[in-house]
Every structure is written in C-alpha cells, then in structure tokens.
C-alpha cells in the first residue's frame, strides 16, 4: 500500500460514482452541467484536504515571487500640484477684476487678525464672504496636503501671492496657520508688539498687507481666515477629547469585565478543598444557574461582584471521587471510555474504517483480520485490501 | 449501518472522500440545483462503488500492532481504540506510527448479514 496509490483509487471511485449517478440525474431532469460541477467541486475539495496526491492534481508549481508594483509616488504630488494649481490660477484670475472691492470688505477682519490671540472673538462679524472663500481654499489645501507634496505649494508661492489679492493671502495664511497651531502662543507674543504697526497699515492702503514685510513672519499677515481655522481646530480638539474620554471609560469597563471573568475562571473551584465543594446533582443545577447568572452579570458589567462567589463554588464539575456518597473503587477507570469512543476529531484523530473478517481474543491478546479499509493516519490517507492486527489489552 | 435495500455500508461516508462528496452535495442542495432525494441516491451510489473499488482494485496488505485501550462490540460493529500503534505496509515495507487510532469495523460481506 502506498499513499501515492490512494489518488488513483479515489479517482476511480469518483468516476464510478459520477457514471452511476448520471442516470439518476437524467431521470430527475437535472442537467449534466450540474453533474459536471459536482464532479469538479468534489475533486477540488478533495485536493484541498491534501491527504494524498490525487490523480487529477497538477504537478506542484513553484510559487512565483509576488511582484509588488511600486506605487509611483511622484505621480501623487503631481496630481496634487495639478489640482492645486488651477485653484491658484483661478485665484489669480477671479479676484483681479473685483480686487479692489474685496479688499475693502476684508479689511476689517484682517485688522483683527493681527491681534489674533487677543481679539479672536471679534473677527467674526465682518468679511464673511472672504471667510467663506478662505474656508473653501483651506479645504482644497488640506486635500492637496493630504495627497502628498501639497505642503510645498503654498510655501512656494508666497511671492506670487504678494502682488495678488488679499483673499489669496488669506487662503495661504489659513494654511500656514493650520500648520503652526502649536506655535499659537509664540505668535501671540510676537503679534502683540505688532498690533500697532499692522493696524495702521490696512488703513493706509488697500494693498497694505501686500507691502507688509513678510519674510520675518509670513503667517503674521493672516487675517480673519485664520480665526476661523483656530475656532474650528479648537472645536475639533474639544470633540476629540470628549470622544477619547468616552472611549477610555468604555475601555476601562471592558478591561474590568475581562479581569472579572479571568478571576472567576481562576477561582473556579480548582484550588478549593474537597470539603468546600458542593455535592450531588443539585450543585450542577446551581452551576447552570450560577453560570447563566454570572454570564448575564458579566455582560451587564461589574455592578454585582458578589455573584462571583456563588459562581466559584459551583464551578467545578462533580466527579465520583469527590462525591462522598459515590461508590468508589480502585478498579474505576479515570477516563470516560464512551468519551473516547464517541470522539469525532476527523482532523486530528487517526482512524481506520473497514470491515472485519475475524476478531479473536486469548486472555488479553487480541487478533483481528480486517478487509477493505480506508486509513487516516497523521493527516494522510491510505487504503488496504487486507489488514492484520495484534494488540494487547 | 447497512442499508437494507442496498446492502452496502454507509461506513465509508466518514472518510475524507465521503465527506467531501457530502459537502458538495449540500452546496448543490442549498443552491437548489438538486433535490435532497437525488443527493441521497448519489450517496448510496458512493457506498456501493467505494466498497467495490476497495474490494476489487486495491491489493495492498497491512500489519499493525499496538496496545488495546478500549473495545466495543455492538450491533455487529467492532470499535477499537488502539494506543501506540505501529503500521507496516507489506508491499512497500513502509512504516507509520500513531499515538492513538480508532478502528470501526463492520462485518465483512463474506459473512451473511442480518
């Protein structure tokens, strides 16, 4: 007998079964395609079990190395660039005809922006149109930044922005502000001495900001758009903290439940003395009730910890040797023999299914003659025509 | 275990080939492509054909030894639990070892069945 022959034998069995079933299928009006599918799927499942090399299995193909296509990272920034550029170009085009008008509207909030840390609540009422546009621009910049390489875009164009409208400045400034949120305190200190200077500049000229010296602090020129960004960021932070607090509390509850369960399982009575163990079938009923109760309690939360004690008492299963009323004997087997025989572990259990010709016993020596058997040993299958066994009981 | 009409054991349905056939038929029944009665007929065909192939096509022989842990004889079916088993294939001389083997054996067809 050989494991290699099993594949041929199984192939013959499948052919015979399919051939004999063809008539049945036709009588029932089922198409032959279904029969073919049955055969294919049957072979496929058998091959998947990998208990033997089947006659229909192809030769093992060496695994091809997985070729990972490198994601062209360069294309992403280009996409971002292309995406951002039109926005810039539109900005360049649209505000130009109405540049003067818009500048006037947005002067007010821009004034207040320089006093950002101090006058933040004052920035809202005026220039809402500009703020809306700035918010939209900020979203676009955020998307561009999220893809890749978008960070560089606004920084690369500050000079081009300077001669343009203030709305463009606001958008850029919002973006810069979002990057520097952690430096808000520092900017506060820097902004305070500048309030006086910058409050005067927009009053002088509409393009006052354009003339404002940018190099020392480009973000300094940001105006009402940055106020909105700060407000949104603070709201976002508050939400995040609230969510984190909820999740932390929930996680604490989960951890506590898990710890209680573990402690209950550890204190399941295994370490308890015999005197403390309950007796008889009533204890089993109490086990069931206690378990059910305990499960519900655990599921509900740690509100009733005292039930753990009841659960511990009734957890250990009753054995004859522990029951005082049981009739014990040294001849009693420790294991339950029916459990061994009734075990159904196809995956891990080795088994032989066959017919017997003869089974003999002399004292404790057994001999048997088996026929037409299928063996499953160590996850491999074998077949035999005749088998002889000798064992000692 | 034997089907009175067909006189073939359903013993071999627990093998891997039998289980895969049953699983495949279950899938076809679930997808309503075949009727359960047809599936039963296919399984009966399987019982018949596997017994025939094993009896006619297979010629290999096997010897094995071990320690008998449990035995049972009920309804003409022997069930053994053997521990520390050593298998030896007569044809190839190949040997296999297993810690625990369960043997289920129905009465051979050579003997009259009840």
């Amino acid at each position: 007998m050989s494991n290699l022959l099993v594949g041929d034998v199984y192939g013959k069995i499948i052919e015979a079964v399919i051939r004999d079933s063809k008539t049945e299928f036709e009588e029932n009006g089922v198409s032959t395609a279904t029969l073919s599918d049955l055969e294919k799927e049957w072979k496929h499942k058998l091959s998947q079990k990998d208990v033997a090399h089947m006659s229909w299995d192809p030769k093992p193909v060496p695994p091809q190395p997985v070729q990972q296509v490198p994601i062209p990272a360069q294309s992403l920034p280009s996409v971002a660039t292309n995406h951002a550029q039109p926005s810039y170009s539109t900005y360049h085009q649209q505000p130009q005809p109405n540049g003067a008008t818009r500048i006037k509207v947005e002067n007010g909030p821009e004034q207040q922006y320089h006093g950002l840390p101090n006058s933040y609540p004052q920035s809202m009422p005026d220039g809402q149109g500009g703020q809306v546009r700035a918010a939209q621009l900020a979203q676009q910049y955020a998307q561009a930044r999220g893809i890749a390489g978008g960070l560089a875009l606004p920084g690369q164009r500050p000079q081009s922005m300077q001669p343009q409208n203030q709305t463009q400045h606001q958008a850029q400034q919002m973006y810069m502000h979002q990057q520097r949120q952690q430096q808000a305190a520092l900017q506060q200190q820097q902004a305070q001495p500048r309030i006086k200077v910058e409050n005067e500049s927009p009053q002088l000229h509409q393009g006052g900001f354009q003339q404002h010296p940018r190099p020392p602090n480009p973000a300094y020129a940001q105006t009402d758009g940055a106020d909105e960004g700060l407000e949104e960021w603070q709201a976002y932070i508050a939400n995040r903290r609230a969510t984190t607090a909820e999740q932390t509390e929930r996680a604490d509850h989960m951890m506590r439940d898990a710890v209680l369960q573990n402690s209950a399982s550890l204190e399941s009575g295994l370490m308890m003395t015999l005197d403390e163990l309950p007796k008889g079938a009533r204890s089993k009923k109490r086990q069931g009730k206690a378990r059910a109760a305990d499960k519900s309690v655990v599921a509900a939360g740690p509100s009733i910890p005292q039930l753990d004690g009841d659960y511990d008492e009734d957890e250990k299963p009753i054995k004859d040797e522990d029951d005082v009323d049981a009739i014990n004997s040294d001849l009693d087997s420790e294991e339950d023999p029916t459990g061994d025989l009734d075990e159904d572990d196809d995956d891990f259990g080795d088994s032989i299914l066959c017919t017997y010709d003869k089974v003999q016993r002399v004292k404790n020596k057994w001999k048997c003659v088996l026929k037409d058997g299928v063996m499953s040993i160590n996850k491999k299958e074998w077949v035999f025509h005749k088998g002889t066994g000798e064992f000692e009981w | 275990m034997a089907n009175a009409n067909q006189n073939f054991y359903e013993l071999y349905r627990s093998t891997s080939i039998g289980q895969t056939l049953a699983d495949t038929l279950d899938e076809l029944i679930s997808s309503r492509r075949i009727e359960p009665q047809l599936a039963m007929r296919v399984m009966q065909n399987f019982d018949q054909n596997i017994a025939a192939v094993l009896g006619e096509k297979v010629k290999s022989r096997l010897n094995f030894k071990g320690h008998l842990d449990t035995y049972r004889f009920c309804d003409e079916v022997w069930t053994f639990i053997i521990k520390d088993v050593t298998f030896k294939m007569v044809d190839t001389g190949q040997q296999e070892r297993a810690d625990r083997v369960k043997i289920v054996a129905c009465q051979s067809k050579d003997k009259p069945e009840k």
Side-chain angles (χ1 to χ4, degrees):
Chain A
M1 176 181 66
S2 172
N3 185 257
L4 297 176
L5 298 177
V6 172
D8 292 336
V9 172
Y10 282 4
K12 291 175 183 172
I13 293 172
I14 292 177
E15 286 177 18
V17 172
I18 297 298
R19 184 180 60 245
D20 290 345
S21 302
K22 188 175 181 181
T23 310
E24 309 282 347
F25 274 65
E26 290 173 355
E27 289 177 359
N28 283 269
V30 184
S31 67
T32 53
T34 305
L35 187 62
S36 309
D37 292 341
L38 169 67
E39 183 180 1
K40 285 180 191 175
E41 189 63 24
W42 189 4
K43 289 181 177 179
H44 175 67
K45 286 184 188 295
L46 208 51
S47 299
Q48 274 185 337
K49 285 211 168 188
D50 194 27
V51 292
H53 181 73
M54 302 302 166
S55 57
W56 57 84
D57 284 342
K59 290 183 180 179
V61 178
Q64 295 179 359
V66 177
Q67 296 178 359
Q68 296 180 354
V69 178
I71 299 173
Q74 294 179 354
S75 64
L76 296 176
S78 65
V79 171
T81 305
N82 294 330
H83 177 71
Q85 283 176 352
S87 65
Y88 278 106
S89 62
T90 54
Y91 257 101
H92 288 298
Q93 296 171 3
Q94 290 175 359
Q96 286 175 357
N98 298 327
T101 306
R102 289 184 186 178
I103 290 173
K104 288 181 181 177
V105 172
E106 294 160 359
N107 268 340
E110 288 173 359
Q111 283 182 2
Q112 297 167 356
Y113 170 77
H114 295 291
L116 169 65
N118 298 328
S119 62
Y120 168 75
Q122 302 175 4
S123 67
M124 295 310 297
D126 300 328
Q128 293 179 359
Q131 293 176 1
V132 171
R133 281 194 299 277
Q136 292 173 357
L137 276 177
Q139 290 178 1
Q140 291 177 0
Y141 291 152
Q143 291 174 0
R145 186 179 56 207
I147 295 173
L151 286 169
L153 295 174
Q156 291 174 357
R157 292 190 172 245
Q159 295 178 354
S160 63
M161 293 284 285
Q162 289 178 1
Q164 301 300 331
N165 194 351
Q166 286 181 349
T167 53
Q168 299 174 4
H169 293 313
Q170 291 174 6
Q172 175 190 0
Q173 290 155 8
M174 268 196 70
Y175 172 79
M176 296 296 289
H177 173 68
Q178 289 176 358
Q179 287 184 355
R180 299 190 184 187
Q181 290 170 357
Q182 294 182 354
Q183 300 176 1
L186 188 60
Q187 290 178 0
Q188 288 181 12
Q189 297 174 1
Q190 294 178 357
Q192 285 178 359
R194 296 179 188 173
I195 289 173
K196 294 180 181 178
V197 176
E198 295 183 357
N199 282 336
E200 294 174 356
S201 59
Q203 294 173 358
L204 294 174
H205 193 269
Q206 293 176 353
F209 280 104
Q210 299 172 358
Q211 297 176 357
H212 181 72
R214 287 187 172 278
N217 189 3
Y220 181 68
Q222 297 177 5
T223 58
D224 46 7
D227 291 340
E228 287 184 356
L230 178 62
E231 186 183 4
E232 290 176 2
W233 176 254
Q234 288 181 350
Y236 170 72
I237 284 292
N239 287 336
R240 285 291 302 170
R241 285 176 183 164
T243 307
T244 303
E246 285 181 13
Q247 290 177 355
T248 305
E249 186 181 359
R250 205 178 306 157
D252 288 341
H253 282 300
M254 286 174 59
M255 286 178 61
R256 184 176 178 182
D257 293 345
V259 167
L260 287 175
Q261 284 183 359
N262 289 337
S263 66
S265 64
L266 285 174
E267 297 171 5
S268 60
L270 294 176
M271 303 302 293
M272 298 178 65
T273 61
L274 295 175
D275 296 335
E276 296 176 5
L277 291 173
K279 311 172 187 176
R282 290 177 300 170
S283 62
K284 290 187 180 178
K285 291 181 183 177
R286 279 181 287 155
Q287 285 177 22
K289 289 181 184 177
R291 281 187 196 138
D294 188 62
K295 283 180 183 175
S296 62
V297 167
V298 171
S303 59
I304 311 175
Q306 61 269 20
L307 276 180
D308 293 341
D310 295 336
Y311 182 76
D312 296 340
E313 291 175 5
D314 300 336
E315 174 60 23
K316 183 176 181 180
I318 302 304
K319 294 185 179 179
D320 290 340
E321 56 199 12
D322 298 331
D323 191 350
V324 176
D325 297 332
I327 301 175
N328 297 326
S329 170
D330 293 338
L331 296 178
D332 287 348
S333 59
E334 293 178 357
E335 296 176 351
D336 183 9
T338 57
D340 282 346
L341 290 176
D342 294 340
E343 268 183 37
D344 186 17
D345 45 353
D346 296 326
D347 292 336
F348 306 104
D350 299 334
S351 65
I352 302 176
L353 301 174
C354 57
T355 62
Y356 66 90
D357 265 354
K358 191 190 323 182
V359 176
Q360 292 178 330
R361 178 190 67 86
V362 176
K363 292 189 179 177
N364 68 333
K365 308 289 184 193
W366 290 72
K367 290 186 182 179
C368 59
V369 177
L370 309 176
K371 286 284 189 69
D372 303 338
V374 178
M375 291 171 43
S376 175
I377 305 293
N378 298 328
K379 297 187 182 179
K380 292 291 180 186
E381 297 226 335
W382 319 77
V383 291
F384 63 89
H385 173 66
K386 183 176 179 181
T388 305
E390 296 177 3
F391 19 86
E392 184 176 327
W393 180 74
Chain B
M1 271 194 185
N3 188 330
N5 296 330
Q6 296 293 334
N7 209 23
F8 294 109
Y9 292 121
E10 298 178 8
L11 169 74
Y12 299 106
R13 296 187 185 185
S14 302
T15 59
S16 61
I17 185 172
Q19 287 179 347
T20 49
L21 175 60
D23 293 341
T24 309
L25 289 172
D26 281 341
E27 288 180 4
L28 292 178
I29 292 171
S30 300
S31 59
R32 295 178 178 271
R33 297 180 67 180
I34 63 171
E35 296 294 325
Q37 292 81 3
L38 180 59
M40 284 176 56
R41 289 289 301 142
V42 174
M43 290 305 295
Q44 290 167 1
N45 287 336
F46 168 78
D47 298 334
Q48 179 180 355
N49 283 287
I50 190 171
V53 169
L54 288 177
E56 299 169 5
K57 306 293 182 185
V58 181
K59 302 296 179 187
S60 53
R61 295 172 61 106
L62 167 75
N63 290 332
F64 60 96
K65 292 184 179 181
H67 167 71
L68 179 62
D69 185 72
T70 312
Y71 61 89
R72 174 193 288 169
F73 182 64
C74 181
D75 294 335
E76 302 291 328
V77 178
W78 274 103
T79 306
F80 302 105
I81 302 289
I82 315 290
K83 297 282 180 75
D84 299 327
V85 197
T86 303
F87 298 94
K88 184 178 178 182
M89 306 359 166
V90 176
D91 301 333
T92 62
Q94 195 176 356
Q95 286 196 355
E96 282 284 339
R97 288 205 73 254
D99 293 333
R100 179 184 178 276
V101 178
K102 180 179 179 181
I103 301 177
V104 179
C106 298
Q107 196 171 39
S108 174
K109 291 179 194 176
D110 296 338
K111 295 186 177 179
E113 297 175 19
K114 291 185 180 178

